[in-house]
């Protein structure tokens, strides 16, 4: 039984089959808007369901058996010819093998032999065979599962931002019959298919609008878009009665398509290699955005359904962003804090006082009265370890016993000398013992390592 649901344009089928006490019900969408085509799909589904019911062991269906049913269910799709071409290529490479025998390894190994294809083309081929296998799994129930097919993430494509000089070179390199097409794309941002299929009956010069039917628009909904003054002036300049189509070639025939090799030759001559026709739509949106056209208005003019699609085409330039970066101003409290920080910074720079700890670094700085040693922390640690074995004899004092020295974290070493605010008597003793200690260390290290003086830098020779 065929019927339609509310708010749906497709026909649905619902039937029931019984065999040897086994009853099965089927309820599916035919994905067809015409009843005659839906009846054909229903008949094929009944036959397949009956075969599976009387023969529990699944028949070894092949891709050639499912391809006509799949294409029949996609009659309303605009890219039907492209789907058919890709699937026929897959069937030829698969050698019409059973559908159950198709694995992801088989598909990837076949596609690896197709040389010279971009990532996007590879993904389109995999997406098509994946949709075909999903149809065999969900609608036909010929396989138990669909192979795991992963697509490669495509890098975002850049586009050319045309200026006046680039547009002149592009128009000069194009044939005469293509110049109105390029200008109309720059004025309206229409897609190539909508421009080439545009008819005079779709243009209303009184209201200044153009109408595109739902069958021709990508959003599958009718669109009425106002035209700019430049676009209307262009259409009036090329107005003719030779054909119902607006844009004609040199033989007064409708322009069916712009060949890839011809467009490639045009952009190469203009010095814009890599420029696509669709980039004209990007530039149209880019100019509107820089002119501060509201996004909601831009969405309607471009014929997009969501604002996410507008963001794909909207590429603001630096001047546009710079004009809006100061829209939000700081409050008075924040301004006072900024002024206070500025005054504090000036006072510190004048006095030159530094009370904070030194910056973290990979080198250690040791400050003494007579010299400054800068070296790597590990080498200085080794140097201090040697001091445990050194006996420092002093006049009038007992020999100093080895003391355990500890080095601090370089980030916590104070920049000013460590001896400030210490009694002068203790300072003199400390200076004397430190001088004897460093002299002994330098002597023993100089004997063991001739490159010692290259590893450290001295502020004053001893």
């Amino acid at each position: 039984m065929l019927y339609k649901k509310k708010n749906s344009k497709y026909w649905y089928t619902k039937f029931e089959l019984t065999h040897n006490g086994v009853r099965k019900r089927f309820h599916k969408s035919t994905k067809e808007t015409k009843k005659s085509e839906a009846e054909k799909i229903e008949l094929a589904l009944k036959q397949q369901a009956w075969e599976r019911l009387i023969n529990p062991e699944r028949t070894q269906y092949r891709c050639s058996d499912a391809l006509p049913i799949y294409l029949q269910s996609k009659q309303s799709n605009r890219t039907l010819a492209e789907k058919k071409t890709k699937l026929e290529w897959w069937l030829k490479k698969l050698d019409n093998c059973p559908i159950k025998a198709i694995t992801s390894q088989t598909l990837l190994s076949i596609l690896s032999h197709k040389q010279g294809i971009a990532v996007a083309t590879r993904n389109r081929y995999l997406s098509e065979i994946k949709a075909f296998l999903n149809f065999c799994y969900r609608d036909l129930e010929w396989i138990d599962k669909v192979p795991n097919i992963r697509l490669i993430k495509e890098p975002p494509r850049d586009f050319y931002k045309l200026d006046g000089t680039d547009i002149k070179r592009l128009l000069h390199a194009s044939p005469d019959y293509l110049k109105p097409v390029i200008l109309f794309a720059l004025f309206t941002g229409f897609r190539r298919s909508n421009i080439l299929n545009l008819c005079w009956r779709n243009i209303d010069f009184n209201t200044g609008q153009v109408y595109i039917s739902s069958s021709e628009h990508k959003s599958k909904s009718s669109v009425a878009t106002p035209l700019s003054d430049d676009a209307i002036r262009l259409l009036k300049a090329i107005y003719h009665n030779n054909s119902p189509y607006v844009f004609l070639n040199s033989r007064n025939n409708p322009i069916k398509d712009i060949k890839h090799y011809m467009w490639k030759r045009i952009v190469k001559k203009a010095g814009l290699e890599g420029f696509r026709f669709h980039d004209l739509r990007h530039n149209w949106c880019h100019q509107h955005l820089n002119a501060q056209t509201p996004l909601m208005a831009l969405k309607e003019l471009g014929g997009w359904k969501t604002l996410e699609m507008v963001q794909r085409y909207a590429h603001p330039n630096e001047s546009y962003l710079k004009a809006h970066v100061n829209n939000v101003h700081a409050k008075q409290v924040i301004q006072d804090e900024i002024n206070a920080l500025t005054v504090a910074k000036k006072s510190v720079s004048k006095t030159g006082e530094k009370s904070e700890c030194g910056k973290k670094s990979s080198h250690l700085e040791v400050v003494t009265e007579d010299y400054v040693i800068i070296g790597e922390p590990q080498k200085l640690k080794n140097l201090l370890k040697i001091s445990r074995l050194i006996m420092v004899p002093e006049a009038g004092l007992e020999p100093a016993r080895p003391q355990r020295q500890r080095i601090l974290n370089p980030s916590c070493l104070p920049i000013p000398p460590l001896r400030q605010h210490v009694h002068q008597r203790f300072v003199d003793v400390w200076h004397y013992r430190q001088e004897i200690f460093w002299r002994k260390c330098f002597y023993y290290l100089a004997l063991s390592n001739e490159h010692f003086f290259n590893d450290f830098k001295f502020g004053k020779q001893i």
Side-chain angles (χ1 to χ4, degrees), residues 82-83 86 90 111 118-131 151-152 154:
E82 184 180 355
K83 290 178 178 293
K86 287 184 171 60
W90 277 113
L111 197 59
V119 175
T121 306
R122 178 185 181 276
N123 287 344
R124 299 296 88 78
Y125 273 87
L126 288 176
S127 299
E128 201 57 55
I129 192 64
K130 186 176 181 179
L151 305 181
I152 299 177
E154 301 177 17

Side-chain angles (χ1 to χ4, degrees), residues 157-362:
R157 299 191 63 174
D158 298 331
F159 79 102
Y160 274 93
K161 292 183 179 180
L162 299 178
D163 53 13
T165 306
D166 296 333
I167 295 174
K168 286 183 179 179
R169 293 204 311 268
L170 182 63
L171 293 174
H172 181 73
S174 304
D176 295 336
Y177 69 90
L178 273 185
K179 292 179 181 179
V181 176
I182 296 174
L183 288 174
F184 192 77
L186 286 171
F187 293 154
T188 61
F190 280 14
R191 298 178 179 88
R192 179 172 58 180
S193 59
N194 297 137
I195 296 175
L196 300 182
N197 296 330
L198 187 63
C199 297
W200 291 114
R201 67 175 183 271
N202 302 123
I203 301 172
D204 189 352
F205 287 101
N206 297 326
T207 60
Q209 287 186 332
V210 58
Y211 300 92
I212 301 176
S213 62
S214 58
S215 60
E216 296 179 354
H217 202 265
K218 187 178 180 180
S219 63
K220 297 182 180 180
S221 60
S222 58
V223 176
T225 306
L227 295 174
S228 63
D229 296 338
D230 295 332
I232 293 176
R233 195 181 304 114
L234 173 65
L235 293 175
K236 289 182 177 179
I238 63 173
Y239 183 79
H240 58 82
N241 294 325
N242 300 331
S243 173
Y245 290 92
V246 176
F247 301 101
L248 306 178
N249 57 18
S250 57
R251 299 181 181 179
N252 290 331
N253 295 326
I255 304 175
K256 295 182 178 180
D257 194 10
I258 302 176
K259 301 298 182 182
H260 177 70
Y261 66 88
M262 183 178 66
W263 181 258
K264 190 175 181 180
R265 185 171 65 247
I266 291 172
V267 297
K268 184 178 181 180
K269 185 178 179 181
L272 300 172
E273 293 190 34
F275 184 80
R276 303 169 299 165
F277 188 90
H278 198 70
D279 289 338
L280 298 173
R281 183 172 172 86
H282 281 269
N283 278 272
W284 169 82
C285 184
H286 174 70
Q287 292 175 4
H288 267 286
L289 188 66
N290 293 331
Q292 300 185 5
T293 302
L295 291 181
M296 289 301 298
L298 189 58
K299 180 177 79 69
E300 297 298 329
L301 291 174
W304 293 296
K305 284 188 174 182
T306 60
L307 287 174
E308 286 77 6
M309 290 301 301
V310 181
Q311 293 176 353
R312 289 189 180 183
Y313 290 81
H315 308 282
N317 56 14
E318 295 180 1
S319 60
Y320 174 82
L321 297 176
K322 193 173 181 180
H324 292 79
V325 72
N326 291 321
N327 289 345
V328 179
H329 297 282
K331 296 183 179 181
Q332 188 61 35
V333 177
I334 303 177
Q335 291 289 351
D336 296 340
E337 291 294 333
I338 296 175
N339 296 335
L341 290 174
T342 305
V343 172
K345 183 178 180 181
K346 290 182 179 179
S347 63
V348 170
S349 62
K350 289 181 180 180
T351 56
E353 295 179 356
K354 296 181 181 180
S355 59
E356 70 277 5
C357 294
K359 296 181 180 180
K360 291 185 178 181
S361 174
S362 60

Side-chain angles (χ1 to χ4, degrees), residues 27-43:
H27 185 199
K28 292 184 179 181
S29 171
T30 60
K31 296 183 180 180
E32 288 292 339
T33 56
K34 296 181 179 180
K35 189 174 182 180
S36 58
E37 301 295 337
E39 289 176 349
K40 295 179 181 178
I41 298 244
E42 183 186 33
L43 183 61

Side-chain angles (χ1 to χ4, degrees), residues 22 90 115 120 138 194 268 303 307 384 402 421:
V22 179
W90 277 113
Q115 301 293 336
R138 294 175 182 173
N194 297 137
K268 184 178 181 180
L307 287 174
L384 293 176
H421 309 294

